[in-house]
Amino acid sequence: MFHKIIIVGRLGADPEQKYTTDGKAVTTFSVAASNRKDETTWFRVSVWDKQAETCNQYLHKGSKVLVEGRLKAEPPVFQKKDGTWASSYEVTAENVRFLSGKDEPVVTDDVPF
């Protein structure tokens, strides 16, 4: 089964970049997407290769992005600091578009994980 998802949201923390043993770049970051009812869903995004290096270089906490990718079927469940339960969805990005302007202020909301 094929899952495709499009997310628009803001990074909850600065991206983290690593390299695989064969030298491929992978960058991960969290994205918070809110609906009109102020309900927020968190997504853990993985980006690969050249796009990973570009995301690591230009994105930061609070950056607004549009992510197109594949959704992992089963999200992990975790307990937040306030004791409530939540889930974080895993997305492998195929395309990341930067929506923030250079001079846009940084948003500093807390990340639940």
Side-chain angles (χ1 to χ4, degrees):
M1 181 176 260
F2 183 78
H3 301 278
K4 181 157 185 157
I5 188 166
I6 299 172
I7 305 160
V8 175
R10 293 192 180 271
L11 270 68
D14 289 336
E16 297 176 13
Q17 183 174 345
K18 296 180 181 176
Y19 289 90
T20 63
T21 54
D22 60 347
K24 288 186 178 182
V26 60
T27 296
T28 58
F29 52 87
S30 57
V31 175
S34 299
N35 64 17
R36 295 175 194 237
K37 298 177 185 176
D38 290 330
E39 298 169 339
T40 301
T41 303
W42 285 93
F43 298 88
R44 230 15 229 157
V45 179
S46 298
V47 187
W48 292 85
D49 299 321
K50 179 65 177 164
Q51 189 168 215
E53 294 172 349
T54 304
C55 286
N56 187 61
Q57 182 177 358
Y58 293 106
L59 295 178
H60 54 80
K61 181 178 181 178
S63 295
K64 190 171 185 179
V65 293
L66 181 146
V67 176
E68 296 177 82
R70 295 183 314 270
L71 180 64
K72 187 174 178 181
E74 295 186 32
V77 176
F78 63 93
Q79 191 169 15
K80 297 191 305 186
K81 293 176 185 174
D82 66 1
T84 60
W85 290 92
S87 58
S88 173
Y89 298 91
E90 302 286 329
V91 175
T92 301
E94 297 167 357
N95 186 25
V96 178
R97 296 183 190 158
F98 303 166
L99 302 178
S100 292
K102 251 188 192 180
D103 301 323
E104 189 169 321
V106 174
V107 177
T108 57
D109 294 335
D110 288 334
V111 179
F113 47 89

